[in-house]
Amino acid sequence: MKIDLIISADDISEVKTKGKTVVVIDMLRATSVITTALNNGAKKVIPFLTVEEALEYSKDNRKNFILGGERRAVKIEGFDLSNSPLEYVKELVNDKVVIMTTSNGTRAIKGCENAKNLLIGAMINAKAIAKRIIELDNDVVFVNAGTQGQFSMDDFICAGYMIKLLEENDNVDLTDVAFTAKHIYESHEDIQSFIVNARHYNIIKSLGLEEDLGYCMKKDILDIVPFYENGEIII
Amino acid sequence: MKIDLIISADDISEVKTKGKTVVVIDMLRATSVITTALNNGAKKVIPFLTVEEALEYSKDNRKNFILGGERRAVKIEGFDLSNSPLEYVKELVNDKVVIMTTSNGTRAIKGCENAKNLLIGAMINAKAIAKRIIELDNDVVFVNAGTQGQFSMDDFICAGYMIKLLEENDNVDLTDVAFTAKHIYESHEDIQSFIVNARHYNIIKSLGLEEDLGYCMKKDILDIVPFYENGEIII
């Protein structure tokens, strides 16, 4: 399979994603949140680009919804939860519909609606994603959400890990950027020694959210594959 | 100084390059050609986007001009030289005006005309470029020409080398992508062990142009800084 990579939400190109298996990665933290919420029993996650859309959609039957997300890495006024995956515990999200809006991740997901299959990936479910990609047997584009339209080291190494897993289990044809991501992972299999230099990592750290960082860097702890279809993310 | 990097000619953004010191890199091979031609006495190099523009510009006084460049890595019909730096010897280019059109490099140069300073860099003049950047004392954006609008490993590691040189001699503030380029260089100081995996490297190799590759991967053999101003590249 051919494997390509897009470095940020600003760089998404319809030509590149159309008809492909696309994996959107925003490991710090949107796609880690989505994966965690679904693993803890949320019925589905509905991503919105704006706070206004999220509030409008949930205003009737508000109690059925959990509103989560961030702007500038902090919780949005009137929302239930922030963009911390550790907040999305079973007691809060089980059987609920989670409404999400974040700065980078939801934008990346919405930008790839022309994909054939649109999967939601993070370090915490990387192996499950790689397995599903192989089952789908289609060309793949990893879409890194990035940070504010910029390349982000955390998403890049996360894609690199998945590409490494694919290479171990299938014949792969890598573009230069996909090769480079894999190469970065191979030289930093612990992840943290690379990510510790990322700007976004340090912003989250400066907000006192080290626990989030520790959680999001864990490999393969969840065996689920969230996918986006008709505006909703389910497993 | 702040240091950012743009991964291909397709990703050039006017907002990012405006007012900055921009270094355009197409080490395989356009910026290696330009640097070599000027080092061997060419009066100037004039880049054009299209073959038609190049022919039109040079049709009067044809003997004063050397026409060089490539499409699909091979020489253009009616041109004097291809995109091989080794062809631009003193006997041919001394005191001549070189007209260039290439698939990626000239497009990248033309895309950055709003830069404050627009330098032309390659491995062969990396140290000279780094020294000039420090003298100019301005924020820097490395613009990788890439290949057909895509990220290219050769340009990425070349920028990484220059960023490494800057870090050794100045206070630098690196974006994630600039950090990653430097990091790739640090783990492959020989250059070739990384570039050998690049698609573009292998295309050039398949054309039997190993000598070009060997030349373009040499570090710091030329001590000149070509710069672009008013449509022309001089030193």
Side-chain angles (χ1 to χ4, degrees):
Chain A
M1 66 180 69
K2 289 182 183 167
I3 302 181
D4 198 3
L5 184 153
I6 292 171
I7 63 167
S8 89
D10 272 12
D11 298 291
I12 292 170
S13 122
E14 290 197 1
V15 176
K16 284 191 177 180
T17 55
K18 191 176 177 187
K20 302 285 170 59
T21 293
V22 168
V23 182
V24 171
I25 298 173
D26 184 5
M27 67 164 282
L28 298 180
R29 298 168 284 164
T31 58
S32 296
V33 166
I34 292 165
T35 305
T36 303
L38 290 167
N39 192 64
N40 284 339
K43 274 195 238 177
K44 54 189 168 187
V45 177
I46 308 180
F48 286 101
L49 288 174
T50 68
V51 173
E52 293 67 32
E53 288 172 291
L55 291 170
E56 174 65 23
Y57 186 88
S58 58
K59 71 176 182 199
D60 304 324
N61 300 313
R62 179 68 174 80
K63 69 175 184 349
N64 294 332
F65 297 109
I66 295 287
L67 270 68
E70 56 72 36
R71 284 298 181 271
R72 297 175 181 278
V74 300
K75 189 172 143 180
I76 298 161
E77 203 184 316
F79 275 42
D80 303 303
L81 302 176
S82 78
N83 199 32
S84 167
L86 300 173
E87 294 178 4
Y88 291 72
V89 293
K90 193 170 273 259
E91 295 69 39
L92 289 178
V93 302
N94 191 39
D95 242 16
K96 293 283 176 70
V97 172
V98 175
I99 307 285
M100 287 279 296
T101 180
T102 67
S103 308
N104 310 296
T106 49
R107 196 157 64 88
I109 294 166
K110 289 285 190 182
C112 299
E113 287 182 328
N114 71 350
K116 185 173 179 191
N117 310 288
L118 182 38
L119 314 181
I120 307 300
M123 286 305 299
I124 56 174
N125 70 335
K127 235 174 212 167
I129 291 282
K131 193 167 162 237
R132 180 64 50 87
I133 288 171
I134 290 170
E135 289 163 2
L136 291 167
D137 195 22
N138 190 18
D139 291 341
V140 186
V141 180
F142 288 94
V143 172
N144 288 358
T147 304
Q148 310 295 349
Q150 304 298 306
F151 176 102
S152 202
M153 290 162 62
D154 37 286
D155 293 334
F156 196 60
I157 196 168
C158 182
Y161 175 44
M162 293 183 198
I163 294 166
K164 174 78 175 164
L165 292 170
L166 292 171
E167 187 189 56
E168 286 168 357
N169 292 285
D170 209 332
N171 288 322
V172 295
D173 176 12
L174 308 180
T175 59
D176 275 24
V177 68
F179 181 94
T180 303
K182 176 179 76 86
H183 182 81
I184 288 285
Y185 172 76
E186 286 169 338
S187 61
H188 294 277
E189 295 205 354
D190 68 307
I191 309 289
Q192 189 166 12
S193 62
F194 185 68
I195 294 186
V196 74
N197 300 293
R199 290 192 171 201
H200 191 50
Y201 176 97
N202 287 293
I203 288 169
I204 293 173
K205 194 175 165 201
S206 72
L207 294 168
L209 299 167
E210 279 96 341
E211 267 188 283
D212 276 12
L213 295 171
Y215 175 78
C216 293
M217 288 189 294
K218 287 183 182 164
K219 290 181 198 172
D220 314 316
I221 56 171
L222 303 183
D223 188 28
I224 62 167
V225 178
F227 67 95
Y228 177 92
E229 210 170 61
N230 303 321
E232 302 178 346
I233 302 165
I234 53 175
I235 50 176
Chain B
M1 67 181 69
K2 288 181 184 169
I3 301 181
D4 198 3
L5 184 152
I6 291 171
I7 63 166
S8 89
D10 273 11
D11 298 291
I12 292 169
S13 122
E14 290 197 0
V15 176
K16 285 192 176 179
T17 54
K18 192 177 177 187
K20 302 287 170 57
T21 293
V22 168
V23 182
V24 171
I25 297 173
D26 184 5
M27 67 166 279
L28 298 180
R29 299 165 287 165
T31 58
S32 297
V33 167
I34 292 165
T35 305
T36 303
L38 290 166
N39 191 66
N40 284 339
K43 276 196 237 177
K44 55 189 168 188
V45 177
I46 308 181
F48 286 101
L49 288 175
T50 67
V51 173
E52 293 68 31
E53 287 172 290
L55 290 170
E56 174 67 24
Y57 186 89
S58 57
K59 70 176 183 202
D60 304 324
N61 299 313
R62 179 68 175 78
K63 70 177 182 348
N64 294 332
F65 297 109
I66 294 287
L67 271 66
E70 54 72 35
R71 285 296 181 273
R72 297 176 180 276
V74 300
K75 189 173 144 182
I76 298 161
E77 202 183 318
F79 275 42
D80 304 303
L81 301 177
S82 77
N83 199 33
S84 166
L86 300 173
E87 293 178 3
Y88 292 72
V89 293
K90 193 172 271 265
E91 294 69 38
L92 289 178
V93 302
N94 192 38
D95 241 16
K96 293 283 175 69
V97 173
V98 175
I99 307 285
M100 286 280 295
T101 179
T102 68
S103 309
N104 309 296
T106 49
R107 195 157 64 89
I109 294 165
K110 288 287 189 180
C112 299
E113 287 183 326
N114 70 350
K116 186 174 179 190
N117 311 288
L118 182 39
L119 314 181
I120 308 300
M123 286 306 299
I124 56 175
N125 70 335
K127 235 174 213 166
I129 291 282
K131 193 166 163 239
R132 180 64 51 84
I133 287 171
I134 290 169
E135 289 164 3
L136 291 167
D137 194 21
N138 189 18
D139 291 341
V140 186
V141 180
F142 288 95
V143 172
N144 288 358
T147 304
Q148 310 297 350
Q150 305 296 307
F151 176 103
S152 203
M153 289 162 63
D154 37 285
D155 293 336
F156 196 60
I157 196 168
C158 182
Y161 175 44
M162 293 183 196
I163 295 166
K164 174 77 177 165
L165 292 170
L166 292 170
E167 187 189 56
E168 286 168 358
N169 292 286
D170 209 333
N171 288 322
V172 295
D173 176 11
L174 308 180
T175 59
D176 274 23
V177 68
F179 181 94
T180 303
K182 175 178 78 82
H183 181 81
I184 287 285
Y185 172 75
E186 286 169 338
S187 61
H188 294 275
E189 295 205 354
D190 70 308
I191 308 290
Q192 189 166 11
S193 62
F194 185 68
I195 293 186
V196 76
N197 300 293
R199 290 192 173 205
H200 191 50
Y201 177 96
N202 286 294
I203 288 169
I204 293 172
K205 194 174 165 204
S206 72
L207 294 168
L209 299 166
E210 280 95 343
E211 268 189 282
D212 276 14
L213 295 171
Y215 175 79
C216 293
M217 289 190 291
K218 286 182 182 165
K219 291 180 197 173
D220 313 317
I221 55 171
L222 303 183
D223 189 29
I224 62 167
V225 178
F227 66 95
Y228 177 92
E229 209 170 63
N230 304 319
E232 302 179 348
I233 302 164
I234 52 176
I235 49 175

